[in-house]
């Protein structure tokens, strides 16, 4: 069973599929990529974005993540890089930590957990989009 299938199975068991299903929509992942990643990694995720020539450390080609990992997409590693649990140096400092960027401080009846589920849904959507780009 793939890691994504395991994640979906756990979410289903918890009864949270309705809210998470929308977060996993491929269009959400693409939109997040276009808004937050394409400037450095390029529209095609090949490391050739408009900002790439300004970076001291080249932006990696994100379409080769599975190829560089014995043919298996490193989902957990990608999730940790996106949300900031694993530091990545770029342009002289850390890659932007999107776990913080995606966070909302709003809590209330519609969002009793703060933004934890929303952040995780966005990070997962972005990672799933990157998985769909693998060559």
């Amino acid at each position: 069973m793939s890691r994504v299938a395991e994640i979906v199975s756990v979410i289903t068991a918890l009864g949270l599929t309705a809210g998470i299903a929308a977060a996993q929509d491929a269009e959400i992942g693409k939109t997040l990529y276009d808004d937050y990643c394409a400037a450095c990694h390029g529209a095609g995720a090949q490391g050739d974005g408009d900002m790439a020539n300004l970076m001291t450390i080249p932006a990696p080609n994100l379409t080769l993540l599975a190829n560089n990992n014995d043919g298996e997409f490193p989902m957990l590693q990608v999730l940790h890089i996106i949300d900031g649990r694993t530091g990545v140096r770029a342009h002289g400092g850390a890659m932007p930590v999107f776990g913080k960027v995606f966070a909302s401080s709003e809590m209330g009846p519609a969002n009793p957990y703060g933004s934890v589920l929303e952040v995780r849904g966005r990070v997962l959507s972005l990672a799933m989009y990157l998985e769909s780009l693998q060559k």
Side-chain angles (χ1 to χ4, degrees), residues 54-69:
L54 301 175
M55 298 171 61
T56 58
I57 298 171
N61 181 336
L62 300 177
T63 67
L64 299 176
L65 296 174
N67 187 50
N68 295 337
N69 192 51

Side-chain angles (χ1 to χ4, degrees), residues 1-119:
M1 183 182 294
S2 75
R3 189 165 307 278
V4 172
E6 289 174 316
I7 292 169
V8 171
S9 295
V10 170
I11 291 169
T12 301
L14 294 173
L16 299 174
T17 55
I20 300 300
Q24 293 177 355
D25 183 349
E27 283 302 308
I28 292 173
K30 179 175 179 4
T31 299
L32 290 168
Y33 179 85
D34 291 344
D35 289 348
Y36 296 100
C37 310
C40 295
H41 293 282
Q46 296 180 356
D48 58 353
D50 294 338
M51 299 299 292
N53 63 341
L54 301 175
M55 298 171 61
T56 58
I57 298 171
N61 181 336
L62 300 177
T63 67
L64 299 176
L65 296 174
N67 187 50
N68 295 337
N69 192 51
D70 297 324
E72 186 172 329
F73 184 76
M75 180 61 79
L76 186 59
Q77 181 182 6
V78 170
L79 291 170
H80 287 180
I81 289 170
I82 294 169
D83 74 10
R85 284 183 256 180
T86 301
V88 175
R89 291 188 49 81
H91 50 79
M95 183 182 95
V97 177
F98 292 105
K100 290 180 182 177
V101 171
F102 295 156
S104 165
S105 60
E106 297 294 322
M107 288 189 70
N111 194 10
Y113 301 103
S115 64
V116 173
L117 294 178
E118 183 178 355
V119 169

